[in-house]
Structures are given as structure tokens and as C-alpha cells.
Amino acid sequence: METTELLKKVRKIEIKTLGLSQNIFAGQYHSAFKGRGMAFSEVREYQYGDDVRDIDWNVTGRFHRPYVKVFEEERELTVMLLIDVSGSLDFGTLGQLKRECATEIAAILAFSAIQNNDKIGVIFFSDRIEKYIAPKKGRKHILYLIREMLTFTPNSKKTDVGVSLEYLNKVMKRRCTAFVISDFYTRKDFSQELRIANKKHDVVAIQVYDPRAKDMPDIGLMKVIDAETGHEMYVDTHDVRLRKEHKRYWMEREKRLHDTLSQSRVDSVAIATDDDYVKMLMSLFAKRNR
């Protein structure tokens, strides 16, 4: 991609997503994600009614009388975007590619974060960690992240969501809010990594999918290529049984994903490339505020 063309794309995404984050998401983002973590503030002498579990035994031993730790709501969050860059994201039949949709969603979240004085970082993943960008603040940093989202070329085309969650736990020592943005086309079970990550952090799953993956169109003979393996085959979409089987497979896969997320108590939303993702994200935020 030429520099001039890239700058135009970055600017276009900035104008669109910054406006949305300022006008629509500011309040909802703040209430949905702020103040969910507790940070250590100070110690003070034990008072009647204090929770004994908050006693700081090191300070208590030093002064020979009980002291307790005092916590306060964290005023500043660290937000991590775990972005799937595998081959299956380079697909789209209605309006835009899944990768383009994922980039806009990530940009909205990033601008919402910096408006609340939060740090924002990124983990690009396939079936391995492709790139880690440490959390920082500021518009310049956000624009750098958007440029990377638009131009990054992964070494692998396959997907392993569990790898990204495992890496998150290694690099983020303090609690953060982590958005996993993916189509979740993974053959590996990631329920254990998800469960562990959501105990330490606040994990939110955003599934991006193409509506044609859900309902196969009746358009006759069609060449199908698996973007992650390169396998090619022709299918006859006139075949009613084939379309029904495809729909059944999709529903089963979605149920497995939903079960995995709900069992780990992870908030989630599924967004099609032709959906109004503003409305879908607002719905997600509202669900967290109930």
C-alpha cells in the first residue's frame, strides 16, 4: 500500500471512528468499563468493622498493631485489543471484509479508551503471537495502531485464540480490560485459557462474521477456498441439502462458541459485516451496565 493511500485510509478511519467514540460511546464506555478494578491506595490502622482479610501483616508486624490495606476504584484502565490477523479475516461478500470491520471496531474502542485517559495496547495473533504493541496513551499512538491494523502481514494464516489469551496473562501483570476481536474460526479449544484470563482480567469477546458464512446463497456451482489452509473445492449451491447442512454446521459451531464464552462468564457480541456495529456495541455496553 502506497504511503499516500495509507494516510488517506488512516485519516478516513480516524474521522469516522473518532466522531462515533466522542458523540456516542463516551458515556456508555465509561460506565461499562470504568471502576471495575480495585487498586491499592494506602494502609491505615485497623478500625472496628474492617474486614480482617484486608490486614497487611507486614506493616502490622512492624508496628505491633493491626493495619489494613485501603483500596480504591482504579481511575485509569489499561485496555488491550487482541486482534485476529489470520487468513479467514480476509473474506467479505457484503460491503466490506471482516478485517476492515474489525479494524473500525478496534479504532472506536481505542479512541473511546483515550478519551477516558486509558492506555491502549494491541496483540496481533494468528496461531502464534504475531506482534505485541505495549499500552500507551495519546492520539499519535492510536494512529500508529490503526496503521498497523491496515498494513500488518502475519507469518501464519491459521488461528489459535488460546495463544493470545495465554500471552495476555504473561505480559499484563495488572488487571486490564481485553477485547478479543476475531471470527473465532479456530479448531483448537480455548476454554481453559479463556477461563484463566477472565479471572485475572476483564475479557470481552467481539465476533466478526460474514453473513454468507451463515446462509449459503443459491448461486449454482461455486469455488470455495479455505483461507487458512489453502484447500480448494467446488460446491453446488443449488443443492438444498448442502445449504441445510451448511446452516446446521454454522449453528452448531456458534452454539459451541456461545457455550465456551458463557461458561467462562465472558460478555460477548456477534457482529456481521453488514450490521450496524454502532448499535451492536451499544447493546453490549448496555448489557454490562445492567
Side-chain angles (χ1 to χ4, degrees), residues 117-163:
N117 202 36
D118 298 334
K119 293 179 182 177
I120 183 99
V122 170
I123 297 171
F124 290 119
F125 71 94
S126 54
D127 63 343
R128 65 193 72 177
I129 300 304
E130 296 281 354
K131 186 169 186 174
Y132 167 64
I133 302 174
K136 291 182 182 178
K137 297 180 184 180
R139 175 178 174 271
K140 187 177 178 181
H141 179 62
I142 300 300
L143 296 181
Y144 166 63
L145 297 182
I146 294 173
R147 284 199 301 273
E148 286 296 297
M149 292 175 207
L150 288 170
T151 61
F152 187 79
T153 303
N155 290 310
S156 174
K157 291 183 176 294
K158 297 180 180 178
T159 311
D160 186 348
V161 177
V163 165

Side-chain angles (χ1 to χ4, degrees), residues 4-123:
T4 306
E5 183 188 350
L6 174 60
L7 289 173
K8 283 182 180 177
K9 283 198 170 188
V10 171
R11 183 62 179 151
K12 185 179 178 182
I13 289 177
E14 181 190 15
I15 291 170
K16 181 177 181 179
T17 57
L18 178 58
L20 289 171
S21 64
Q22 285 178 334
N23 301 326
I24 300 174
F25 289 104
Q28 285 83 353
Y29 170 89
H30 180 92
S31 56
F33 297 103
K34 296 296 278 187
R36 289 190 168 246
M38 301 298 288
F40 171 73
S41 175
E42 60 181 349
V43 293
R44 61 165 171 75
E45 281 198 60
Y46 178 87
Q47 298 172 2
Y48 178 76
D50 285 338
D51 192 331
V52 294
R53 291 173 296 183
D54 291 336
I55 291 177
D56 187 321
W57 294 106
N58 290 328
V59 179
T60 296
R62 202 156 57 238
F63 291 98
H64 306 292
R65 56 182 182 274
Y67 277 77
V68 293
K69 295 177 181 177
V70 178
F71 295 86
E72 63 179 16
E73 284 189 345
E74 289 182 310
R75 302 302 177 201
E76 175 186 289
L77 282 176
T78 296
V79 177
M80 289 300 299
L81 303 176
L82 280 57
I83 302 177
D84 185 349
V85 291
S86 63
S88 61
L89 271 289
D90 291 319
F91 178 79
T93 59
L94 296 175
Q96 61 181 347
L97 300 176
K98 286 187 283 185
R99 189 179 305 282
E100 293 169 344
C101 182
T103 297
E104 290 188 12
I105 290 169
I108 283 180
L109 295 171
F111 279 118
S112 297
I114 62 168
Q115 282 179 56
N116 282 279
N117 202 36
D118 298 334
K119 293 179 182 177
I120 183 99
V122 170
I123 297 171

Side-chain angles (χ1 to χ4, degrees), residues 165-208:
L165 296 166
E166 200 169 17
Y167 187 76
L168 174 72
N169 286 335
K170 288 180 182 177
V171 295
M172 301 305 296
K173 302 305 179 186
R174 292 187 63 188
R175 183 175 175 83
C176 73
T177 295
F179 294 94
V180 185
I181 306 173
S182 173
D183 57 9
F184 293 94
Y185 280 9
T186 177
R187 291 174 172 82
K188 290 187 177 180
D189 177 66
F190 60 93
S191 55
Q192 183 176 350
E193 293 90 343
L194 182 64
R195 194 160 49 247
I196 293 170
N198 200 42
K199 282 182 179 178
K200 184 177 179 182
H201 306 289
D202 179 15
V203 180
V204 181
I206 300 177
Q207 181 190 16
V208 178

